[in-house]
Amino acid sequence: MRTVVHLVRHGEVHNPDGLLYGRAPGFALSRAGHAMAARAAAALAGGDVVALVSSPLQRARETAAPLAERLGLDVELDDRLTEAHHVLEGRRVDMHRSILRQPRVWPTLWNPWRPSWGEPYREVVRRMTAAVDDARAAARGHEVVLVSHEAPIWVTRRHAEGRRLAHLPRRREVGLGSLTSLHFEDDDLVDVGYDALEPTA
């Protein structure tokens, strides 16, 4: 019996001040973010999706909205899919740029393996895999979509592929509006797929 759990990262956020928004309230999708959400909905519309679950944060719920419309499903909210906590929320920090050029954040980065700047990777994986397992059980033999965030999706993928959880954030392969798919046969994970869902020319 094959079951597929699709992890959709929310679309681009309207964030003109360049803040690390984390779990802060607000932060709606930008125009480009809404287009990304529409592409994700189009990509999944032809599948056998029987359930749709989202992080409760606004940007995730707005990404889930076109999916709900295209798939004819209600959106369930699950706190386990929320963004990882970050001690620098609300500040200007670019985790994809060299940390050496941002000395003000150095005190939070003393242990990148934990990581010391926020929620431990193992805790993120614990809650995410629990959400994945519950969704997979409910959608057994079909497909289910979970809308989440960059770090939770990436460490879940690394865990699924048997890789170390510690990593460089700027090397994550989980673009805005992207699709990471976990393929199961019965209870065994047999494949992990990734689609950036780039716009077509």
Side-chain angles (χ1 to χ4, degrees):
M1 183 177 294
R2 181 174 287 269
T3 307
V4 184
V5 179
H6 300 289
L7 304 175
V8 175
R9 184 185 172 191
H10 64 80
E12 180 187 271
V13 173
H14 179 67
N15 184 21
D17 295 325
L19 301 179
L20 196 158
Y21 35 78
R23 295 180 178 178
F27 292 99
L29 294 183
S30 66
R31 180 177 297 181
H34 283 289
M36 293 172 182
R39 285 198 296 273
L44 291 165
D48 182 27
V49 180
V50 297
L52 173 60
V53 189
S54 174
S55 156
L57 294 178
Q58 181 176 347
R59 57 192 183 272
R61 289 187 284 109
E62 290 185 357
T63 300
L67 283 157
E69 183 176 355
R70 289 289 295 264
L71 299 171
L73 296 170
D74 293 328
V75 181
E76 302 174 40
L77 300 182
D78 191 334
D79 289 336
R80 296 175 296 181
L81 300 176
T82 198
E83 178 64 281
H85 169 67
H86 203 297
V87 297
L88 297 173
E89 288 172 9
R91 297 178 60 180
R92 292 175 181 266
V93 180
D94 186 353
M95 296 303 289
H96 295 273
R97 188 164 63 90
S98 174
I99 296 301
L100 297 177
R101 291 180 290 188
Q102 302 178 79
R104 70 187 182 282
V105 307
W106 292 351
T108 69
L109 306 176
W110 59 271
N111 182 1
W113 310 113
R114 180 184 180 272
S116 51
W117 57 81
E119 186 179 7
Y121 292 137
R122 64 181 180 277
E123 292 302 318
V124 178
V125 166
R126 180 191 58 76
R127 60 178 171 84
M128 284 290 292
T129 54
V132 167
D133 287 345
D134 286 350
R136 178 169 59 87
R140 196 169 180 84
H142 303 279
E143 301 174 46
V144 58
V145 176
L146 309 183
V147 182
S148 188
H149 306 267
E150 179 184 20
I153 293 174
W154 182 241
V155 295
T156 300
R157 175 177 169 181
R158 290 182 71 89
H159 172 74
E161 295 175 334
R163 293 193 276 169
R164 297 180 64 181
L165 300 183
H167 62 278
L168 293 175
R170 59 190 174 88
R171 293 186 178 177
R172 292 170 179 164
E173 187 184 30
V174 53
L176 289 161
S178 63
L179 180 65
T180 300
S181 301
L182 308 177
H183 298 258
F184 295 87
E185 288 185 358
D186 294 327
D187 294 324
D188 297 323
L189 179 70
V190 295
D191 189 35
V192 178
Y194 175 76
D195 190 339
L197 297 180
E198 298 286 354
T200 56

